[in-house]
Amino acid sequence: MNELRRQLLDEAQAIVRKFPGRNIVTDSRKVKKGDIFVAVSGVNVEGKEFIPDAVANGAEVVIYSGTLPEVLPQVNCIEVSDSRQIVSYLYKAFYNSPDEKVKLYAVTGTNGKTTSAYLLNAILQNCGVKCGLFSTVEYRTGKENFSATHTSPDAGQFFRLLNEMRENGLTACAMESSSHSLAQHRLDAADIAGAIFTNLTGDHLDFHKTMENYFAAKVRLFTELSANNGVAAINIDDPYGKKLMEKVNGHAATFGVAPDAAYQISDISIGADGTAFKLSHAGKILDISSNLSGAYNIHNLAGVLTLLWASGFPPEILGKSAALPFQVPGRLEKVSTVSPAQFYIDFAHTDDALRNVLSTVKAFTSGKLWVVFGAGGDRDRTKRPRMGKAASEYADILVVTSDNPRSEVPEAIVADIVSGIPENSVYHVEVDRAKALHYAVKNAAAGDVVVVAGKGHENYQEIAGVKHPFSDREVLMGITNE
């Protein structure tokens, strides 16, 4: 642990010891009598503005940075150098450092995080390790599985659930690490035993503004958060992976088809029923076969195997574990319908992810490839035209629809997508997503394959700020022969 992280943890532990048993709260509306309120500034608000509300609600301790807006003699006021940074350490101290008993294996990148986290969880358990999970789809604590609210939870929920994992006898946890969580210091206090970098492509620029900022957030997982020389598995077939190699701390294990990869992928075979490849390191060769389709899943699987192999797990057991049947909810998941065509749902919501999925499916499509997709509102608008272009490159029949428009007008999002579709391309617009799915089920023929992209595992559609029940899987299965 570097000097700054040690200093922050010592400071947090001192506060927790001085005020034992006090709940730590960052939302003034949730403060109760006796709580510790941390005035954290958000993207659009100044946390110190809510100190009077927190005190009125019963806060007895206020932690802040900078200058207090007013004197508060009735409460304990503690100034820290950075109130946002210390939050994660306060929760770690409050829950008595559960990450010291539960090894954290993290995955970051634009695409492949969820699949890689599920693979890590499954392979670790097959190796005899009791393993939890933090993912975009769900959280698993050893006794309870429940739907995720965020890819990476806030610091309070993270350490609370990690503590539950420890109490439930788990000794490891596979987790996705989003760029938002890294930039917002949610995971700062966590000791990371191993981390995977999958790739970096255009996304989330509504938040990060530039690719440089986006990359810098990812880099933090490897340069600031890994403790005790944690292992880093880095995809050097990705140009940002090569850049990351110049910055990484600890033991870096590179993987890819590149000739200088320490864990080298070769002899690739891709079919409708899965993939096969060799993974070689230091004269040892693993023959890997998996039911996962697509070249991109070869890199996902290779990244997981590289991390665990470099962490000391027996390669023979890893190879056998990789061959077990595997399915991630909403990731190229086959769905039964009344149509004679084949239907798949997938979470792909960037142009790069669309190309990965569609190129995979195109290879085993004997008829026409249908693509039904939209783009989320209140998110990176720059990727929408690129998504339209990517989908048009592979689709024989393209249906542009709505995703989660959130506060935006659905027709405006569709127009952004359509602006990237090349002229003279044939496409169909149906803004109502349920109607778009109905159109595909009723018109796709035998031999056709339909990919419904963008929402994957999600069971809601957010329109005008309201989440309505909606599942691509359930809608497709619910369409009948009328």
Side-chain angles (χ1 to χ4, degrees), residues 301-373:
L301 185 50
V304 170
L305 295 174
T306 295
L307 176 64
L308 297 180
W309 193 347
S311 298
F313 287 86
E316 294 80 9
I317 296 178
L318 296 177
K320 291 178 182 177
S321 300
L324 296 174
F326 186 76
Q327 174 66 60
V328 182
R331 272 63 180 176
L332 206 55
E333 179 183 351
K334 194 169 185 179
V335 177
S336 298
T337 73
V338 297
S339 170
Q342 296 183 64
F343 278 73
Y344 292 87
I345 60 172
D346 194 90
F347 193 55
H349 56 278
T350 68
D351 50 306
D352 186 62
L354 278 172
R355 284 192 175 91
N356 286 337
V357 170
L358 299 181
S359 62
T360 295
V361 176
K362 188 78 170 179
F364 61 77
T365 301
S366 59
K368 293 179 178 179
L369 175 57
W370 290 60
V371 182
V372 182
F373 84 106

Side-chain angles (χ1 to χ4, degrees), residues 371-397:
V371 182
V372 182
F373 84 106
D378 301 335
R379 298 293 186 268
D380 184 359
R381 290 186 62 179
T382 67
K383 66 180 180 180
R384 296 173 187 172
R386 298 196 305 268
M387 292 171 68
K389 184 175 186 297
S392 67
E393 290 172 359
Y394 293 94
D396 297 301
I397 301 175

Side-chain angles (χ1 to χ4, degrees), residues 102-341:
V102 182
K103 283 189 175 182
L104 295 171
Y105 296 96
V107 187
T108 199
T110 304
N111 300 313
K113 294 190 298 297
T114 302
T115 297
S116 296
Y118 268 82
L119 280 166
L120 269 170
N121 179 271
I123 293 176
L124 279 167
Q125 292 198 89
N126 197 56
C127 289
V129 178
K130 294 181 179 179
C131 187
L133 177 70
F134 288 113
S135 78
T136 300
V137 179
E138 64 180 335
Y139 304 152
R140 300 177 182 174
T141 63
K143 290 185 178 178
E144 185 180 12
N145 300 352
F146 52 94
S147 297
T149 53
H150 295 83
T151 296
S152 303
D154 63 46
Q157 186 182 30
F158 174 76
F159 278 104
R160 177 176 62 81
L161 294 178
L162 199 62
N163 185 54
E164 287 185 20
M165 293 181 194
R166 174 176 59 183
E167 292 176 345
N168 292 337
L170 304 189
T171 57
C173 176
M175 58 183 284
E176 295 184 54
S177 299
S178 70
S179 58
H180 289 71
S181 69
L182 293 167
Q184 294 172 344
H185 302 281
R186 291 185 224 159
L187 304 177
D188 273 18
D191 287 346
I192 308 297
I196 300 171
F197 176 80
T198 60
N199 50 66
L200 197 76
T201 60
D203 199 8
H204 304 306
L205 298 189
D206 56 312
F207 178 81
H208 296 290
K209 307 305 180 188
T210 67
M211 287 296 293
E212 289 73 20
N213 291 341
Y214 185 25
F215 179 58
K218 299 292 189 184
V219 168
R220 293 196 67 240
L221 181 65
F222 300 87
T223 59
E224 298 179 39
L225 306 189
S226 296
N228 304 318
N229 293 315
V231 175
I234 299 173
N235 174 15
I236 59 167
D237 289 339
D238 185 274
Y240 281 97
K242 293 180 179 178
K243 289 179 65 175
L244 179 60
M245 280 301 299
E246 301 170 3
K247 303 174 180 292
V248 70
N249 291 338
H251 174 49
T254 58
F255 66 93
V257 297
D260 56 339
Y263 292 76
Q264 192 167 50
I265 300 167
S266 64
D267 298 275
I268 293 172
S269 175
I270 302 173
D273 297 326
T275 55
F277 64 98
K278 295 183 186 296
L279 187 66
S280 307
H281 173 67
K284 177 72 176 180
I285 301 174
L286 292 184
D287 288 302
I288 306 298
S289 61
S290 170
N291 68 301
L292 292 174
S293 297
Y296 60 97
N297 273 323
I298 288 176
H299 275 79
N300 290 336
L301 185 50
V304 170
L305 295 174
T306 295
L307 176 64
L308 297 180
W309 193 347
S311 298
F313 287 86
E316 294 80 9
I317 296 178
L318 296 177
K320 291 178 182 177
S321 300
L324 296 174
F326 186 76
Q327 174 66 60
V328 182
R331 272 63 180 176
L332 206 55
E333 179 183 351
K334 194 169 185 179
V335 177
S336 298
T337 73
V338 297
S339 170

